[in-house]
Amino acid sequence: LKIGNNTHKTQVLFLCVFLGMSWAAEEPLEYFVEEEAERGTFLANLAHDLGLGMEELSAREPRVISDQKIGFLLLDPLTGDLSLNEKLDREELCGPKEPCVLPFQLLMGKPFEVFRAKLWVRDINDHSPVFLDREIPLKISESTTPGAAFLLQSAQDSDVGTNNVRNYTISPNAYFHINVHNGAEGIIYPELALDRPLDREEVPELSLILTALDGGSPPRSGTTLVRILVLDTNDNAPEFVQPLYKVQLCEDSPVGSLAVTVSAKDLDTGSNGEIVYAFFYATERILKTFQINPTSGSVYLKAELDYEVIQTYTLTIQAKDGGGLSGKCTVVVQVTDINDNPPELLMSSLTSPIKENSLETVVAVFRIRDRDSGNNAKTVCSIQDDLPFLLKPSVENYYTLVTDSPLDREERAEYIITITVTDMGTPRLKTEHNITVLVSDVNDNAPAFTQTSYTLWVRENNSPALHIGSVSATDPDAGANAQNYTINLNSFFHIKISGSDEGIIYPELVLDRALDREKQQEFSLTLTALDGGLPPRSGATNIHIVILDVNDNAPQFSQAIYETQAPENSPVGSFIAKVSAGDADSGINADISYSFFDASEDILTTFHINPFSGEIILRLLLDYELQRLVVLVRDNGEPPLSASVTLHVLLVDGFSQPYLPPPEAEAAAAAPADPLTVYLVVALASVSSLFLFSVLVFVAVRLCRRAGAASAGRCAVPEGHFPGHLLDVSGTGTLSQSYQYEVCLTGGAGTNEFKFLKPILPTVQAQDPGRNSDENPTFRNSLGFNFQ
């Protein structure tokens, strides 16, 4: 039968319980066996009796369960044959109880169903009658009239039914014969009847053999000697006040407590009126449990009572006078039950572990038994309220423990279920039985990293196989359903797996080769955790690796050598030049400072360099000498790295450059202007251009008029040499831009005139302060003059 969903499963479970209850309502199966039958004796074929095929019976997983402490039955699940597992002693199992019926249950596991059955153990005649006393003394008065009867001690036979004592005989004699009477509980007892008067002078004593015969085939027998002493006349026998006494005793009555007091009277006097009380026809069990005071007739408890063993005792008490006459009465002692037996839990099956997420799974099947009676035997069964399990009662005090909701191993992997069974007696007794149910794992959780992203730091220039850091992902699942790790393709890193005490796998990120921060400052990796379940589940996280800088790059100047010109009349505080250097490192390793290297006292007195900007200004007036300055740049790394450059400062005589604004003014001028400013600049430029053009035309006309006279006045190169390639300079009293001029001195004139022919725009070169001159350029200007 295939079950498609939870509703079908529930219907099938209820159907199984209904069928089990219907079977339980039918008459139980009955089987018979004689006691002392050999082990392996065939009893029946359960497959045939239940109307099942052998394969069907085997598939349903049958089991035989009994309350007996011994396994007296053996079931072959393949053939369905039920046979004895050992020899049975009916007397040991049932004692005097007849019939001897041993109940048992046939439990089917798939589906769950219970069949009641009984095994009747038939008695065989394997015990002979036995008298407790080898000799029975009897005193009979000679005045006893014929027909008088005298009770004799009966024999005991452990067998029951027809195999018990069925007849008594007496040895042949002229005075007595035996009458057999039925007593309480179906036991017969002998009675000696007088056939003719006794004559003490003729026969003072008789010895007769009393024989007890059972009803077996062949019969067994036992004998005792009846010794009869003939007495003088005693014509009154003791008589009890009442022939029947009924007493109720609680099974917890203490030993020595009074059970009952019987009383008899004898009208005779003297020794013939003295009464002695004693048990008559007492079994061994009665003699072990009760004792009687022979004088008072009080019956006391000699041993503890147990309702679960014997509920009723029948005592026969004889009152005998001194003349040998006797009377008897019966005392029926009813043992009342007290709640002295806690309930018992008999476990039939237990399933553990159970897969998580499973629905209505049968965890355990058990039976409740209480040896008390009445309300003392009624029980209530329960488990803890906070567990996802449910108890379902079945037939014959059977219960099934099933899951009430899907289990989650990640929330709880083990349940300790306490089954509490309480009876309804006073006081109530209870039994607690603990079972442990383990929950097995199902791959229902994906690995999850503790963070969605990680940031790790590592220094550049590291050694290979460097451990960078660890991350962790958790997977609530267990075993093969736990996680493994993979990393996206990258030639710099690989994953190394290590474990922990808790069974969690920690991936370690290991660097395979050295890193260079100046080439790549960071990496982004994706780490994936993949479990081993079917189907597998996965989780991922991002790892951001930041490369920390190491001071492995010295500062570099933007030029190999610097040259500049400065008028000799430059005032103190004038801007002379600015050196620029860069450092490929970062942070504190890229913080640089400027200073003069190996400078004389005159240079330190004349020039000052800003350690942060590299700007050089005048401290004193310059002379006509060429100044050579060595500038040192140093970073703040550990250890610090440095570089130096040479700066040539050439003094210019007789030429006054335009005022060069400070660098701050240049920066301000480079800032984008608003539209009004742009319009004003365009207007001023237009007017200035017209004015300059007019001046040039005027000068050209003047020069052409004097061309003939001034032939001797062709331009000549003045003495002296000025470098044609100069550094950008700015500041007070210097040129703010780089220009090249053509200058002519006119001959024959009274004054020297400069002819400004045309400006030559400065050349722009790119240079990167942080690299060599052929890499990543930055910008610089040059200034040059041509004189004619």
Side-chain angles (χ1 to χ4, degrees):
L1 178 62
K2 295 185 178 178
I3 301 175
N5 51 44
N6 297 339
T7 302
H8 291 168
K9 290 183 179 179
T10 305
Q11 292 174 352
V12 171
L13 180 60
F14 287 153
L15 178 60
C16 293
V17 174
F18 175 78
L19 291 176
M21 295 178 66
S22 65
W23 272 102
E26 295 179 1
E27 289 297 323
L29 302 174
E30 294 185 347
Y31 303 97
F32 299 85
V33 66
E34 290 186 351
E35 68 171 327
E36 304 298 334
E38 292 296 327
R39 183 177 183 271
T41 300
F42 173 80
L43 297 179
N45 185 276
L46 294 181
H48 177 270
D49 292 347
L50 298 178
L52 303 174
M54 288 187 292
E55 293 182 358
E56 181 182 359
L57 179 67
S58 177
R60 295 190 63 181
E61 297 181 2
R63 284 175 290 173
V64 173
I65 298 176
S66 171
D67 292 343
Q68 300 296 325
K69 297 181 180 179
I70 58 174
F72 59 92
L73 294 176
L74 182 64
L75 174 63
D76 188 348
L78 298 179
T79 63
D81 289 341
L82 185 67
S83 58
L84 282 181
N85 194 32
E86 61 185 18
K87 283 186 177 182
L88 301 181
D89 188 347
R90 193 208 64 80
E91 287 73 25
E92 181 180 352
L93 292 173
C94 300
K97 182 180 178 182
E98 178 65 14
C100 181
V101 181
L102 302 179
F104 65 95
Q105 296 85 35
L106 178 63
L107 181 64
M108 297 291 186
K110 296 181 179 179
F112 177 76
E113 193 172 6
V114 178
F115 297 91
R116 295 184 301 155
K118 295 180 180 180
L119 179 64
W120 296 65
V121 182
R122 294 169 174 167
D123 183 54
I124 64 173
N125 192 21
D126 56 344
H127 294 85
S128 298
V130 176
F131 290 93
L132 296 181
D133 298 324
R134 294 184 177 181
E135 181 177 316
I136 301 175
L138 191 62
K139 296 179 180 180
I140 301 177
S141 175
E142 62 180 351
S143 61
T144 303
T145 60
F150 304 93
L151 292 174
L152 298 177
Q153 178 184 347
S154 62
Q156 297 186 25
D157 195 336
S158 298
D159 297 324
V160 295
T162 59
N163 295 325
N164 205 331
V165 177
R166 283 291 173 265
N167 195 16
Y168 291 91
T169 62
I170 195 76
S171 58
N173 65 89
Y175 296 95
F176 298 94
H177 72 274
I178 288 294
N179 293 327
V180 179
H181 298 280
N182 293 323
E185 299 180 354
I187 300 176
I188 64 174
Y189 60 90
E191 188 178 70
L192 188 64
L194 183 63
D195 292 333
R196 66 175 185 169
L198 295 173
D199 186 358
R200 189 191 66 83
E201 289 73 20
E202 182 180 356
V203 182
E205 182 176 338
L206 291 172
S207 294
L208 306 176
I209 297 176
L210 178 64
T211 302
L213 298 172
D214 62 22
S217 180
R220 291 174 175 263
S221 63
T223 61
T224 186
L225 179 65
V226 179
R227 189 177 298 277
I228 302 173
L229 180 64
V230 181
L231 302 176
D232 286 338
T233 301
N234 180 23
D235 54 355
N236 290 289
E239 292 184 2
F240 282 91
V241 176
Q242 59 188 70
L244 178 65
Y245 294 83
K246 292 185 177 180
V247 180
Q248 288 187 344
L249 291 178
C250 289
E251 62 175 324
D252 63 342
S253 299
V255 174
S257 60
L258 177 65
V260 66
T261 300
V262 296
S263 176
K265 295 181 179 179
D266 195 323
L267 299 179
D268 294 327
T269 59
S271 62
N272 293 329
E274 295 178 356
I275 299 175
V276 176
Y277 299 94
F279 289 123
F280 183 78
Y281 174 58
T283 64
E284 184 178 0
R285 189 180 298 272
I286 291 176
L287 294 176
K288 288 181 177 180
T289 307
F290 299 94
Q291 64 180 6
I292 188 170
N293 188 315
T295 304
S296 64
S298 297
V299 179
Y300 298 94
L301 280 181
K302 188 177 180 181
E304 294 181 350
L305 301 176
D306 191 346
Y307 174 85
E308 288 70 42
V309 178
I310 296 180
Q311 294 81 38
T312 304
Y313 293 88
T314 301
L315 313 178
T316 301
I317 300 178
Q318 182 186 47
K320 182 182 293 187
D321 62 17
L325 299 180
S326 64
K328 65 181 179 66
C329 72
T330 302
V331 177
V332 178
V333 179
Q334 295 284 347
V335 182
T336 59
D337 183 46
I338 64 168
N339 195 25
D340 59 342
N341 290 281
E344 300 177 65
L345 189 149
L346 308 175
M347 186 64 64
S348 299
S349 66
L350 175 63
T351 304
S352 178
I354 298 175
K355 285 189 177 181
E356 61 178 329
N357 303 329
S358 57
L359 298 175
E360 291 202 18
T361 302
V362 177
V363 179
V365 177
F366 59 90
R367 184 188 177 197
I368 302 302
R369 180 181 66 183
D370 195 317
R371 298 182 182 276
D372 295 319
S373 62
N375 287 334
N376 296 334
K378 296 179 180 179
T379 59
V380 176
C381 188
S382 64
I383 59 174
Q384 303 99 304
D385 294 333
D386 57 345
L387 297 180
F389 297 92
L390 182 66
L391 276 179
K392 291 187 176 182
S394 184
V395 295
E396 294 290 332
N397 287 333
Y398 276 95
Y399 287 83
T400 57
L401 178 66
V402 299
T403 56
D404 189 32
S405 60
L407 305 180
D408 188 352
R409 190 204 66 83
E410 290 70 46
E411 180 180 346
R412 190 167 180 180
E414 177 182 291
Y415 291 89
I416 298 178
I417 304 174
T418 301
I419 303 175
T420 303
V421 185
T422 306
D423 62 24
M424 305 301 293
T426 303
R428 294 190 175 187
L429 301 178
K430 70 176 182 179
T431 298
E432 291 184 350
H433 185 84
N434 294 327
I435 62 175
T436 300
V437 178
L438 302 178
V439 183
S440 61
D441 186 52
V442 173
N443 191 25
D444 56 350
N445 291 277
F449 286 89
T450 56
Q451 299 176 206
T452 57
S453 63
Y454 295 84
T455 301
L456 304 177
W457 291 266
V458 60
R459 292 183 180 273
E460 62 176 332
N461 304 333
N462 56 280
S463 59
L466 175 67
H467 168 76
I468 297 178
S470 298
V471 299
S472 65
T474 59
D475 191 333
D477 295 325
N481 297 329
Q483 69 272 14
N484 198 355
Y485 294 89
T486 60
I487 191 172
N488 60 325
L489 184 61
N490 190 286
S491 60
F492 286 89
F493 307 93
H494 75 275
I495 289 293
K496 178 182 178 182
I497 301 299
S498 61
S500 72
D501 295 339
E502 301 296 330
I504 301 176
I505 299 176
Y506 290 99
E508 299 179 0
L509 195 60
V510 179
L511 190 58
D512 291 332
R513 54 177 174 163
L515 300 176
D516 188 350
R517 191 201 67 83
E518 287 71 40
K519 292 183 179 179
Q520 187 168 348
Q521 298 182 1
E522 60 186 10
F523 292 86
S524 291
L525 308 177
T526 299
L527 181 64
T528 302
L530 184 68
D531 63 26
L534 291 175
R537 295 175 177 266
S538 63
T541 187
N542 294 322
I543 301 178
H544 184 212
I545 301 175
V546 179
I547 311 304
L548 300 178
D549 186 55
V550 174
N551 192 27
D552 57 347
N553 290 278
Q556 292 184 355
F557 284 95
S558 59
Q559 298 178 201
I561 189 169
Y562 289 87
E563 294 178 349
T564 187
Q565 290 182 347
E568 64 175 346
N569 58 352
S570 297
V572 174
S574 298
F575 176 81
I576 300 301
K578 179 179 180 180
V579 294
S580 178
D583 195 317
D585 294 322
S586 64
I588 192 173
N589 296 328
D591 293 340
I592 58 176
S593 61
Y594 301 92
S595 63
F596 290 123
F597 176 72
D598 196 19
S600 63
E601 186 66 27
D602 292 340
I603 291 177
L604 295 177
T605 304
T606 305
F607 299 96
H608 170 72
I609 185 169
N610 188 318
F612 304 106
S613 65
E615 296 177 354
I616 301 174
I617 61 175
L618 283 177
R619 285 184 171 178
L620 295 175
L621 293 177
L622 296 173
D623 54 19
Y624 292 93
E625 296 179 359
L626 176 65
Q627 298 290 343
R628 179 181 178 275
L629 307 178
V630 178
V631 179
L632 179 70
V633 63
R634 180 192 301 260
D635 60 25
N636 287 330
E638 184 62 37
L641 302 178
S642 61
S644 64
V645 71
T646 301
L647 171 64
H648 294 282
V649 180
L650 180 63
L651 299 183
V652 178
D653 185 18
F655 181 78
S656 183
Q657 289 181 311
Y659 172 75
L660 297 177
E664 293 78 4
E666 289 184 358
D674 57 42
L676 180 59
T677 303
V678 173
Y679 297 151
L680 292 175
V681 171
V682 172
L684 290 175
S686 300
V687 174
S688 300
S689 299
L690 291 174
F691 175 74
L692 181 59
F693 180 75
S694 300
V695 171
L696 290 177
V697 171
F698 176 75
V699 172
V701 172
R702 290 285 304 270
L703 291 177
C704 290
R705 291 177 180 177
R706 300 179 182 179
S711 58
R714 288 186 176 272
C715 295
V717 178
E719 295 180 358
H721 174 264
F722 293 89
H725 176 68
L726 298 176
L727 177 69
D728 288 347
V729 294
S730 63
T732 304
T734 60
L735 294 177
S736 60
Q737 301 182 40
S738 296
Y739 292 91
Q740 290 185 351
Y741 296 88
E742 292 182 356
V743 182
C744 289
L745 301 178
T746 59
T751 61
N752 293 333
E753 295 179 358
F754 284 90
K755 179 181 179 183
F756 295 87
L757 298 179
K758 62 178 179 178
I760 300 176
L761 295 178
T763 59
V764 179
Q765 296 179 345
Q767 187 73 19
D768 185 354
R771 302 282 182 176
N772 296 329
S773 59
D774 56 350
E775 298 179 355
N776 301 326
T778 57
F779 298 95
R780 65 185 181 87
N781 299 330
S782 62
L783 177 62
F785 296 90
N786 291 326
F787 295 91
Q788 292 182 353

